[in-house]
Amino acid sequence: MHEEISKLEAIARRLEPDANERGRLQSQVTAYAEAYLESIDDAPARDARPDGGRALYDSPIGEEGIDIQEALALLHENVDTVGLNPPSGRYLGYIPGGGVYHAALGDYLAAITNRYAGVYYGNPGAVRMENMLLRWMAGEIGYPKDAAGHLASGGSMANLTAIVTARDAHGIVGDAIPRAVVYLTEHAHHSIKKALHIAGVDQAIHRTVPVDERYRMDATALDAAIARDRKAGLQPWLIVAAAGTTNTGSVDPLADIRQIATAHGVWMHVDGAYGAFFALCPEGREVLRGMGESDSIIMDPHKTLFLPYGAGAVLVRNRRDLFASYDVEADYMQDARGSYEEVSPADISPELSRHFRGLRMWLPLKLVGVRPFRAALSEKIQLARYFHQEIQRIDGFETGPHPDLSVVVYRYRPSRGDADEFNRRLTQRLQDEGRIFVSSTRIEGQFVLRLAISCFRTHLADIDETLDVLARTAREIAG
Ligand SMILES: *Cc1c(COP(=O)(O)O)cnc(C)c1O
């Protein structure tokens, strides 16, 4: 038996590289990362090859390992030069992501030490770190200190967490579901619909509240709709307000919505996945007034705190509501229970074992401080205002409303032919070239282009180049 176990041990030990081998692997990985970072200013924002990544299949997962060089070559050719390049400063589509370097070092350390961040008993420090970050976020957006929440994998999971909490807090079960009413606008993010579906409240009435000329929820119409529904014997349950819609970056009138929600006893949820972090800068704070008074809110550090993908956050004003939805006991967890001064993420979220997400957020904030984040967010808002002003100066372009945050909608109005068709071709041409990446949407039935400025690497020169490329490409298509 000993002999057999020793044989297995000899093979299993390949999972534990020694210091020499670690050094070799580490230096190759670092060199790869450095080459990527050094080339990012020139790299395209998109690679349009439709068969990108296919060669991965030529190197199947096998019994024996391959060398790090070979693995990195596969990664380079099949992943890191394929599709969209979100860390590029010229990536201006959808909602750009982040990827600050210091966060990568946090992830590296989190993976090496693999601290258990789900329950306080598992690692009091890791849990304190996460809760400290949540309290910091709460302070920045005007939430009370005793609000609770956790770091999720992203905004969709955070929205789901909040909507389940709102469902339970208002007893939306069984017969109550088809009488319950959810109020949102046509610009609500599709993760809200997904969350309502997963939460089992699909059958609730979805009331699409009209928007004003800047695509913000019409508070008067909301008030009237709730009053009508109440009179009709329905149960107005949930208002989903946007602190920055994905489509246009518009911020709903949050302070007015709060008053309406309070008057009617309706849960107010704010989807701030894209926009809530703009509260860190003066331009944003002004627009987002009222956000801190909501019953629940989500915000995405992997969007506007510039972290790599895999970081969302949810905060719920009354922590008892979160416990009511997520605190579940199990016999095998009995050692980990106890009354501690800190909330354990596992007791207020759908997750148990999870990535130690706090470290990737704590390390950048500690190493560079908050000031550069505030400056970067102000810069993005001002770049959006600049683009909005400058694109109108280029013959043929027209814009949507003055941006609330950092999304600008615009389109080219051709002197003849179909405008939708023209703008579709313009978008396609830009996306195929890939030097800059912009995406499109439909507003009031019209095909329009969007510029979303939220990558930390996007600066004035990138916006100037984007303006030039747009002017040139539109001219070429117009002939
Ligand atoms: C991105 C986004 C979401 C979804 O967040 P993910 O992190 O992509 O899951 C939800 N709401 C809004 C307004 C968003 O912009």
Side-chain angles (χ1 to χ4, degrees), residues 95 154-156 159 189 191 244-246 271 273-274 298 300 302-303:
I95 301 291
S156 300
N159 269 331
H189 193 266
S191 61
T245 63
T246 313
D271 181 350
Y274 151 66
I298 71 148
D300 261 1
H302 68 198
K303 284 180 178 164

Side-chain angles (χ1 to χ4, degrees), residues 90-169:
R90 282 169 280 97
Y91 181 94
L92 303 159
Y94 307 109
I95 301 291
V100 289
Y101 184 72
H102 312 82
L105 301 180
D107 273 353
Y108 174 74
L109 291 173
I112 294 279
T113 60
N114 203 23
R115 299 293 92 180
Y116 197 87
V119 295
Y120 183 83
Y121 170 86
N123 195 302
V127 169
R128 281 183 205 277
M129 185 182 283
E130 177 164 337
N131 287 348
M132 177 180 162
L133 291 164
L134 287 154
R135 283 194 285 269
W136 171 72
M137 284 185 268
E140 290 290 341
I141 63 168
Y143 252 52
K145 274 207 178 56
D146 61 348
H150 56 87
L151 295 177
S153 57
S156 300
M157 287 304 294
N159 269 331
L160 175 63
T161 306
I163 280 172
V164 167
T165 309
R167 178 199 67 190
D168 297 346

Side-chain angles (χ1 to χ4, degrees), residues 111 125 162 223 240 251 283 353 400 460:
D223 194 28
V240 179
V251 178
E283 297 89 340
S353 304
L460 193 53

